[in-house]
Amino acid sequence: MSTMRTTGTTARTGRPYSRFWRLISVIVLVPLLSVLIRSKREGRENVPGKGRVIFAANHLSYLDWASDALFLRACGRYPTFTIKAPAFKVTGIGVSLRKTGQLPVHRGRADAVLVLGEAEKRLAEGAAVIFYPEGTATRDPRPWPMAGKTGAARLALATGVPVIPVAHWGTHDILSYGAKKPRLFPRKTMRTVSGRPVDLSRWAGQQNSAKALRAATGAIMAEVTALVGQLRGETSPAVPYGPWNRVSSAGSAASDEPAASPVSGGRPENLADSVRCTDSEPLISHGPGSQ
């Protein structure tokens, strides 16, 4: 068995993960999760069987990773998640995360840039990297996806790697935001769907442009939100819940006065125009469980 650092490659093989640990994770977790939770999947034809690819998913629960991992395994891919760094310090869990090649994300812009560089290396090796652009479980009371952070878009524009939107629904019924224990019985269903690659061609190579990053992130989140609407059988909101829009899709206000949109000086006109991008904002999500 190879030894492994938190980031970088294994000492003996040069791989950023242990094949043995990945095999063990598949043998143990896939059957266990399949027994405990019913899964329904759509859009498997949109997932490439090999080669570098970025997945952007909505964030509902600590359990989102399970839905997305089962979906990608059914598509023949092994997922590389961007996960908040404290999870790597948890006894037992941290070892498995490092050995299977997951990416730790620290809270802070400099650390976010570092993990984007590490993700770029993994993509160059043909990895399937999953981002949760919202950065935390959605706070929309219904709950629809919120506005996204720009890390996934930045990486896609810099590398030309396709971004596949992914949506899941039902993980919050099993483990809701803030809950300590999962509700496994009666057995519940997680539904997952993927869409076609998001067309980011008009912003290719513009990863240093704040305007391009806002627009590209908006396009990604618009596709993710539309897929959530497909799973729910509902029309998705035109504007996501975010710092400038504290009125949820349910119509209740979280504050008396919504902040102005940094895009246009007022409220954004649509979902694709409503993504924030400032020098002080974190670039990427902090991964599953960053609630």
Side-chain angles (χ1 to χ4, degrees), residues 7-197:
T7 59
T9 57
T10 58
R12 296 182 183 178
T13 67
R15 290 192 304 271
Y17 59 87
S18 163
R19 288 181 177 175
F20 173 78
W21 275 81
R22 284 197 169 186
L23 177 62
I24 292 299
S25 70
V26 171
I27 292 174
V28 173
L29 287 178
V30 172
L32 177 62
L33 292 172
S34 298
V35 168
L36 293 175
I37 303 166
R38 185 183 300 107
S39 297
K40 291 187 177 181
R41 310 177 184 103
E42 303 174 51
R44 289 168 58 179
E45 68 278 5
N46 296 316
V47 178
K50 60 181 180 180
R52 57 185 191 164
V53 61
I54 296 170
F55 293 93
N58 63 313
H59 201 352
L60 291 168
S61 162
Y62 278 122
L63 202 60
D64 292 338
W65 68 269
S67 177
D68 298 331
L70 287 176
F71 179 77
L72 290 189
R73 284 306 303 164
C75 297
R77 302 303 301 261
Y78 193 96
T80 298
F81 289 96
T82 50
I83 302 174
K84 66 175 184 176
F88 287 77
K89 299 179 181 179
V90 178
T91 303
I93 294 176
V95 172
S96 64
L97 293 177
R98 289 191 293 271
K99 295 290 188 180
T100 57
Q102 308 308 316
L103 297 172
V105 182
H106 302 268
R107 293 189 181 275
R109 186 179 177 87
D111 291 312
V113 172
L114 289 175
V115 79
L116 285 179
E118 188 64 26
E120 184 173 356
K121 293 178 184 178
R122 303 293 179 85
L123 289 171
E125 297 164 354
V129 179
I130 301 181
F131 286 86
Y132 294 88
E134 293 165 87
T136 186
T138 181
R139 301 301 196 262
D140 186 313
R142 282 206 61 183
W144 291 97
M146 300 186 296
K149 294 178 173 61
T150 59
R154 184 183 295 269
L155 190 58
L157 298 187
T159 62
V161 174
V163 178
I164 305 291
V166 175
H168 45 254
W169 191 250
T171 54
H172 59 306
D173 292 329
I174 302 169
L175 187 63
S176 61
Y177 169 65
K180 300 293 185 180
K181 297 180 180 180
R183 300 185 297 269
L184 294 173
F185 303 102
R187 189 169 176 240
K188 297 174 179 63
T189 300
M190 298 187 303
R191 299 175 60 204
T192 312
V193 61
S194 69
R196 295 180 179 179

Side-chain angles (χ1 to χ4, degrees), residues 188-208:
K188 297 174 179 63
T189 300
M190 298 187 303
R191 299 175 60 204
T192 312
V193 61
S194 69
R196 295 180 179 179
V198 182
D199 183 5
L200 302 177
S201 58
R202 74 192 77 174
W203 306 292
Q206 299 182 53
Q207 66 273 11
N208 295 320

